[in-house]
Amino acid sequence: MINDYIKTETSDLFETIDDLDEMGFFIYEVLLNRFVLSKGLCSILSIENTNNFSFDEFMDNYIHEDDHTLINSINITSSKPKFKLRFRLVDNFGFIRYVEASGKGIFNNNNLIKYSGIIRDLSEEKYYEMRLKFADKLFSELINNSYQIVYSMSEDGYFTSCSSNAFKYLGYTVNEIIGQHQCIFTDAATNDILTNLRKKAIETGKPQELVDYKIYHKDGSVRLNTTTLFYIKDKYLNTGMFWGVVKDITTTKIIENKLSENDKKLKDREEWEKIKNEFIANISHELRTPVNVIYSSLQLFDLYIKNQNDLQFKGKISYYSKIMKQNCFRLLRLINNLIECSKFDAGIVNLDTYKLDLVALTSGICSSVEEYTSKKNLTLNFTTSVPFAIIEGNSEKLEVVILNLLSNAIKFSKDCGTIDVSLSIKENYVTLSVKDNGIGISKEKQSKVFDRFIQVDPLFTRTTEGSGIGLSVVKSLVETHNGTITLISEENFGSEFIVTFPLVKTTKNDLDKINRVIHTNHANQINIAFSDIYDD
């Protein structure tokens, strides 16, 4: 009667347990050495419901052999033995099931008569746990071996985690980074930018990016980086954290800069080739024109010599002789400029310098060129705010500078125009200004007027002669005198060239010597400098 009641109670209990998912119930009757299994446990083991398993059979058939020791370790000698452990079952098809078992011993008059317990199938949970661990490991490997540093950060900018590849790019270990503020990598300005970036990410809830900013390596070197910040907020705790990705672009930037530098060199080379080709065409024109004129004049000489009874013979010979001389001077000017350029390129700048008066030199040159300005209906004004200005220099080279500037002013002045030459002193420098009200130079071309072989007007459309190296020579000569030259110009309103030289201290005895040296004949230099200015 009692046994029937126990069986009925057990059966009802099993049916109740069987209604629970992923759970099975068992009773091990110690005296009978028999396992009683619920339907749920039979389902876990993929077997038909049976009560005929002995302990050894159950161990041999369904407990993973590596877990036998674990099962045998259950203490059955204590007065109230309880157990809870995880182990592996092997089902009827050979598949491993990860389970958790919990139970206790049942006593009668202090005699252990049975064990009862519940076995819960953890296989699916274990599967996802293993997949998660694998995914974590895979994610960790990918992150730690990538070109990007992944980190997490508190809302106030302190690192809470970081990928290990930070050491590769920044020289810090993970332990050296965690708990530190972002400012250990950045300067104050960048730190402020990143702080504002975090605020914006919190306010907008959108990822924020900062491109091309500096991070300092542990050794003090600078790395260029791009970072993207993601803000994640826990709505229950009402707080959040940042996840960030930092990409080191130092090498990329070096390559980009190198490519940009190479592109610039290539463009400069192409530009130089263009300038060189234009110069060759220009110089061919410059050399050919005076040679043709001289040759034509010689042919006319031959013709007039045959007809000496011509009363105007002498006058014509004189006229054509002047043309020939002018073109010889023009060739000399071109050759002299080329020689000067070659010297500067070769670094051969040996000036025989001495103290000279720039006021006297400039005044004498201006007086000597009045013939040219009057023929062109131009007015030349010379003014000076000081009686003398003593500099260290070479008068012949300075003549070249002044005559080239005056030649340019005459060539590009309009009819009935004015050329103003002035000298003034400010602090320890003397300033020479040559100003005209001629055609002027456009803003885009002003930066190139001192470049070698450059002419403002193209070869086949320009209205004046010249090789395009005069102002380049002028600039080089000015700089060898420790001076500077600048241009102020406006198209159609004229140009002003401003030259400054450092003054030198002098005595009254020096002035007397200087005045005797400075008065030289400028005629030959003027003829060469103005050789490309033809009479109408």
Side-chain angles (χ1 to χ4, degrees):
M1 189 84 173
I2 294 175
N3 287 336
D4 291 340
Y5 173 78
I6 292 174
K7 289 181 181 180
T8 303
E9 183 183 34
T10 301
S11 177
D12 292 341
L13 179 62
F14 275 25
E15 288 180 3
T16 302
I17 299 276
D18 287 339
D19 290 335
L20 301 176
D21 292 336
E22 301 175 352
M23 191 172 291
F25 186 77
F26 70 92
I27 293 176
Y28 173 63
E29 297 177 343
V30 178
L31 297 178
L32 298 177
N33 188 19
R34 183 182 66 172
F35 272 100
V36 180
L37 309 180
S38 70
K39 290 181 180 179
L41 185 52
C42 290
S43 176
I44 292 173
L45 294 173
S46 302
I47 60 176
E48 296 293 333
N49 189 17
T50 177
N51 300 328
N52 297 322
F53 292 111
S54 67
F55 180 81
D56 291 337
E57 288 176 335
F58 191 80
M59 287 281 284
D60 291 340
N61 292 326
Y62 299 110
I63 302 296
H64 195 283
E65 60 182 354
D66 293 339
D67 293 336
H68 285 190
T69 303
L70 180 65
I71 300 298
N72 288 325
S73 67
I74 298 174
N75 187 357
I76 62 174
T77 61
S78 63
S79 59
K80 292 184 179 180
K82 292 182 180 180
F83 63 88
K84 185 175 184 179
L85 70 161
R86 292 188 177 188
F87 58 94
R88 287 164 290 181
L89 291 176
V90 180
D91 70 12
N92 199 39
F93 296 107
F95 292 108
I96 295 175
R97 299 277 189 164
Y98 291 89
V99 298
E100 181 181 70
S102 59
K104 63 178 293 186
I106 299 174
F107 290 81
N108 183 16
N109 297 323
N110 292 325
N111 294 317
L112 181 65
I113 60 172
K114 65 179 66 178
Y115 277 101
S116 65
I118 295 174
I119 291 180
R120 186 162 63 95
D121 190 355
L122 302 179
S123 298
E124 186 173 357
E125 180 181 326
K126 188 68 176 180
Y127 170 77
Y128 287 115
E129 179 185 338
M130 293 173 65
R131 287 294 301 269
L132 183 60
K133 285 182 178 179
F134 177 77
D136 285 344
K137 184 178 180 180
L138 180 61
F139 178 75
S140 179
E141 288 295 322
L142 289 173
I143 291 301
N144 291 329
N145 292 285
S146 72
Y147 294 105
Q148 297 175 331
I149 301 170
V150 179
Y151 64 90
S152 62
M153 177 184 287
S154 63
E155 289 186 345
D156 52 357
Y158 287 87
F159 293 101
T160 55
S161 67
C162 182
S163 55
S164 61
N165 57 354
F167 182 79
K168 177 180 178 182
Y169 295 107
L170 297 175
Y172 291 91
T173 64
V174 173
N175 290 334
E176 289 176 315
I177 294 174
I178 294 175
Q180 296 293 328
H181 193 269
Q182 69 181 23
C183 61
I184 67 169
F185 298 122
T186 62
D187 54 30
T190 306
N191 183 45
D192 290 343
I193 294 172
L194 288 170
T195 300
N196 291 330
L197 203 69
R198 293 200 309 274
K199 289 179 180 178
K200 191 172 181 181
I202 293 173
E203 292 169 357
T204 63
K206 296 179 180 178
Q208 301 297 315
E209 185 176 50
L210 181 61
V211 180
D212 292 359
Y213 74 101
K214 296 177 181 177
I215 286 182
Y216 291 94
H217 192 278
K218 190 177 181 180
D219 63 11
S221 61
V222 177
R223 310 290 297 181
L224 294 175
N225 299 270
T226 295
T227 189
T228 304
L229 277 175
F230 305 86
Y231 180 68
I232 302 172
K233 186 172 183 179
D234 189 320
K235 62 181 180 179
Y236 298 105
L237 298 177
N238 197 31
T239 186
M241 65 181 298
F242 290 99
W243 279 96
V245 179
V246 175
K247 183 179 181 181
D248 188 303
I249 58 172
T250 307
T251 304
T252 303
K253 279 296 178 182
I254 292 173
I255 294 172
E256 287 179 359
N257 292 336
K258 194 69 177 177
L259 290 174
S260 177
E261 182 182 336
N262 290 340
D263 286 343
K264 186 178 183 302
K265 286 181 179 178
L266 181 60
K267 289 179 182 178
D268 289 344
R269 184 178 181 85
E270 291 174 350
E271 183 67 21
W272 176 251
E273 287 293 328
K274 180 182 177 183
I275 292 172
K276 185 184 74 173
N277 292 335
E278 289 179 353
F279 170 70
I280 292 172
N282 190 7
I283 210 70
S284 301
H285 171 78
E286 290 296 316
L287 289 171
R288 184 176 57 202
T289 301
V291 169
N292 286 338
V293 173
I294 293 170
Y295 181 69
S296 299
S297 298
L298 287 172
Q299 286 180 314
L300 288 171
F301 270 173
D302 292 339
L303 179 63
Y304 286 128
I305 289 171
K306 291 178 182 179
N307 300 282
Q308 292 186 18
N309 57 344
D310 191 336
L311 297 177
Q312 296 180 339
F313 176 76
K314 186 176 180 180
K316 290 181 178 179
I317 290 295
S318 176
Y319 172 73
Y320 289 112
S321 176
K322 180 181 177 182
I323 293 175
M324 291 169 65
K325 286 179 181 178
Q326 184 178 18
N327 281 276
C328 286
F329 286 135
R330 185 177 172 190
L331 286 172
L332 279 173
R333 181 188 186 193
L334 179 57
I335 292 167
N336 288 342
N337 283 338
L338 289 172
I339 291 172
E340 290 291 345
C341 287
S342 299
K343 286 181 178 179
F344 289 123
D345 287 343
I348 305 172
V349 184
N350 297 319
L351 284 181
D352 180 18
T353 62
Y354 39 82
K355 292 180 181 179
L356 58 88
D357 183 7
L358 189 62
V359 174
L361 179 64
T362 307
S363 175
I365 293 174
C366 288
S367 298
S368 301
V369 302
E370 287 181 351
E371 177 186 353
Y372 285 91
T373 56
S374 60
K375 286 181 181 179
K376 293 292 183 180
N377 294 321
L378 301 173
T379 301
L380 176 63
N381 299 319
F382 172 71
T383 58
T384 176
S385 62
V386 291
F388 59 86
I390 309 304
I391 65 172
E392 184 78 20
N394 182 292
S395 60
E396 290 184 4
K397 301 300 183 184
L398 290 172
E399 283 179 6
V400 173
V401 171
I402 298 170
L403 287 171
N404 266 284
L405 295 178
L406 287 172
S407 171
N408 268 3
I410 293 171
K411 279 194 291 186
F412 296 109
S413 287
K414 299 175 183 177
D415 192 39
C416 299
T418 301
I419 299 173
D420 294 313
V421 180
S422 63
L423 282 164
S424 61
I425 289 178
K426 185 176 181 180
E427 296 179 350
N428 296 321
Y429 291 88
V430 58
T431 299
L432 167 66
S433 168
V434 179
K435 184 178 182 180
D436 64 69
N437 56 1
I439 62 174
I441 302 171
S442 62
K443 289 189 180 297
E444 60 270 17
K445 295 178 180 178
Q446 289 179 24
S447 61
K448 296 185 177 181
V449 295
F450 295 110
D451 292 347
R452 194 175 301 174
F453 313 136
I454 296 295
Q455 271 236 337
V456 172
D457 296 324
L459 171 63
F460 299 108
T461 60
R462 65 176 188 245
T463 56
T464 60
E465 300 293 339
S467 62
I469 56 178
L471 285 176
S472 173
V473 171
V474 166
K475 185 175 186 291
S476 297
L477 287 173
V478 168
E479 289 175 348
T480 58
H481 283 79
N482 298 317
T484 61
I485 182 168
T486 55
L487 167 66
I488 299 174
S489 184
E490 186 176 354
E491 197 168 8
N492 298 321
F493 289 94
S495 302
E496 180 181 13
F497 288 89
I498 302 170
V499 183
T500 61
F501 296 107
L503 293 168
V504 295
K505 294 182 179 180
T506 187
T507 64
K508 187 177 183 305
N509 292 333
D510 292 331
L511 286 175
D512 294 337
K513 294 178 183 178
I514 290 168
N515 287 335
R516 284 196 297 271
V517 172
I518 204 65
H519 296 298
T520 58
N521 182 12
H522 309 294
N524 194 50
Q525 286 276 28
I526 292 171
N527 286 332
I528 293 174
F530 291 3
S531 60
D532 51 3
I533 301 176
Y534 290 99
D535 297 335
D536 294 333

